[in-house]
Structure formats: structure tokens, C-alpha cells
Amino acid sequence: MSNGSLAQQLRSFEVDGYLIIKNAINLDTVSQIKSELAPYFTGEKMGRNNFEGRHSERLYALLSKAPTVAEIIEHPGTLAFLDALLPKNFLLSACLAINVHPGETPQPWHIDDAAGGLPWPKPRPRFGVSTLWAFDDFTPDNGATEVVPGSHLWPQQRTPAETEAVPIVMPAGSVVLFDGRLLHRGGANRAQAPRLAITPQYCAPGLRQIENMVLAVPPEFARVYSGRIQSLLGYNIIEPGFMGYVDGMHPKRLIDPDYRGRKYRDDLPAS
């Protein structure tokens, strides 16, 4: 799938449920992020089940460990797309690195925006959008993620045939975005080397995040990032209702003592 205008991408996304943007970041950024992750990938802690992958390493709380990951979380190209698909003040629901080693088997088919057992079966509106960034080339043999085009619109009970699976083949530095309702899975790694990816996943602002971001990225880490990253982590509020407040005040005050509130007036206390 080739790159195109935002309008073209949105039309394609609504039909297929996913879209590939090739070479979205340069290889220097790829190398920098891989070097920041390298100390954590020792091959000693593999997954605990066939969903995590018994031949896969997973790393969480990335913004507390690899600061350059912020560049893909708030990548302007993907954020423009997400801003068009999700409600204002959407959140970073999860962000993890997955290093798929040789011998890994396919994951079970699953969707990303049903964590927590939400009581709304498909078909339904989307609750989130996931991104998956390639830090090695994705090939049919090394565990490239597989998707089922159009399955975001299927009823809950429909299951895919193996012939409906499409591997996401793309070079390192590329990203695939997919609807949170889209059936997908990590593929089998039949190659001779691991395949690394990072998946920032985003959700509607009123949902609980899959990863508890304000603990995974506590204030001493969060304060060094951009305002957009801070908002994605949960240092924001939703109007109406001031949802997300802390002690009756805006959560940004936890990481910025000089924060005075976007509605501040001299005759009112800070929000």
C-alpha cells in the first residue's frame, strides 16, 4: 500500500481497517531506539503464554526506559491521522516493544480495543487505533504481523479463514496503523534472526488505558516530555465534567508547579 494524502489514507483505512506508511522515520532514529532498548533484550525473559509468545520478549513502560520512543508516539504523520479518527484528548493506552525470536508460532487472532471485557460486541464504533512500528524489516518469514482486511466491520462471532490473513510486509522505519476492532496476530518467525517492533496503541479519552501510564511513566519522567506526550499519558482533563482531575485541580500541576490552567483568570484560583 503506497503513501498518499490524508484524505486518501482515511478512505482506505475505513474500508480495509489498516494502512501502511513506509519509511515514516529514518534509519538513524531506528538505530537510536534499538540501542536504547538493547540493554533490556537479553533473551532471558520470554513470554508466559502463546499470546505473549514463548519465543518473544516484551518490554513495557518504554517512556521510562527509552526516551527516543517519544518520537514515534507523537510522530506528526500518525498523530494527524489519529486526530481525524479518535475523539479529542485521546490517550496512549499501551506502548510496548515486542522482539519475536526464531521459532515463534502465530498468536491467536485478537483485537486491541476490547481489553477489560467491555460489554459492547461488534459491530460497534471503534474505541481505539493501534500503530505498529517496524524496527527490523517485516517479511513473510520473520513474524510479520498478519491482519484480516475488513474484519473491523465483522460481527463478533465471525472467525477468519487462514486464506484471509495478509502479512504486513514493510521495511524498517515503517508503520502500520489499524483500527482497534481489526483482527490481527503476530506471525510465526521461521527466519534466523529476531524481528523487533514497537506498538503504541491509542484509545478514546473516557476509557481506562491498558497500561497504567501515570505509574508506568511517573511524574519525574513525564515532566521531561512534550505537552502532547503528557496529555497522551493522562495529564489532561476531559470537558464537560473536568474528568481526570487530581485533588480538584488539573493533573499537569503534578509535573509542572508553574501550571496555572488554560482557563485561568486573575480573580479565580488556578485550575
Side-chain angles (χ1 to χ4, degrees):
M1 187 175 299
S2 62
N3 297 0
S5 70
L6 181 60
Q8 291 172 325
Q9 291 174 333
L10 288 168
R11 286 194 295 270
S12 176
F13 185 91
E14 295 293 3
V15 173
D16 296 330
Y18 75 101
L19 182 126
I20 299 168
I21 303 175
K22 292 184 177 180
N23 303 310
I25 56 174
N26 62 48
L27 293 181
D28 288 341
T29 303
V30 170
S31 296
Q32 177 61 33
I33 291 176
K34 289 181 78 170
S35 70
E36 292 175 9
L37 297 178
Y40 301 96
F41 285 133
T42 61
E44 298 175 355
K45 295 182 179 179
M46 297 297 180
R48 296 162 286 191
N49 50 56
N50 70 334
F51 183 85
E52 290 187 340
R54 298 190 186 280
H55 295 278
S56 295
E57 297 172 280
R58 291 185 171 226
L59 184 67
Y60 303 92
L62 295 186
L63 289 173
S64 296
K65 298 170 178 141
T68 309
V69 168
E71 294 188 20
I72 63 171
I73 294 172
E74 60 175 347
H75 186 277
T78 55
L79 281 186
F81 194 77
L82 293 161
D83 284 336
L85 289 169
L86 292 173
K88 183 180 178 181
N89 292 323
F90 63 84
L91 298 169
L92 182 67
S93 183
C95 186
L96 59 149
I98 306 171
N99 201 29
V100 179
H101 285 256
E104 187 57 274
T105 57
Q107 271 187 311
W109 292 111
H110 62 283
I111 63 177
D112 279 351
D113 74 349
L118 294 171
W120 293 286
K122 293 167 57 182
R124 57 161 171 76
R126 68 175 149 255
F127 299 145
V129 174
S130 293
T131 64
L132 186 70
W133 291 82
F135 284 82
D136 294 301
D137 293 345
F138 274 36
T139 73
D141 293 327
N142 74 352
T145 296
E146 298 173 352
V147 300
V148 181
S151 60
H152 59 306
L153 305 176
W154 289 4
Q156 188 79 20
Q157 65 271 21
R158 181 173 171 182
T159 57
E162 287 296 319
T163 54
E164 294 177 287
V166 174
I168 300 298
V169 176
M170 57 184 180
S174 303
V175 59
V176 58
L177 302 93
F178 53 90
D179 192 295
R181 301 165 294 176
L182 189 78
L183 287 165
H184 64 283
R185 67 184 180 186
N189 189 345
R190 299 180 294 273
Q192 301 301 311
R195 186 274 290 160
L196 177 63
I198 297 177
T199 176
Q201 302 173 13
Y202 307 82
C203 69
L207 293 181
R208 181 172 181 175
Q209 294 149 290
I210 297 172
E211 190 170 3
N212 193 322
M213 288 295 174
V214 294
L215 294 178
V217 190
E220 62 268 27
F221 291 98
R223 64 171 47 99
V224 305
Y225 289 110
S226 70
R228 187 66 191 264
I229 290 286
Q230 292 167 355
S231 178
L232 287 166
L233 290 172
Y235 292 93
N236 67 12
I237 59 167
I238 305 170
E239 294 284 17
F242 205 52
M243 183 178 182
Y245 68 80
V246 177
D247 198 20
M249 294 180 287
H250 198 291
K252 283 270 287 189
R253 291 174 64 88
L254 293 174
I255 55 176
D256 181 3
D258 296 323
Y259 181 78
R260 301 180 75 197
R262 59 186 176 82
K263 294 182 177 179
Y264 188 83
R265 299 204 321 258
D266 289 339
D267 58 330
L268 294 175
S271 61

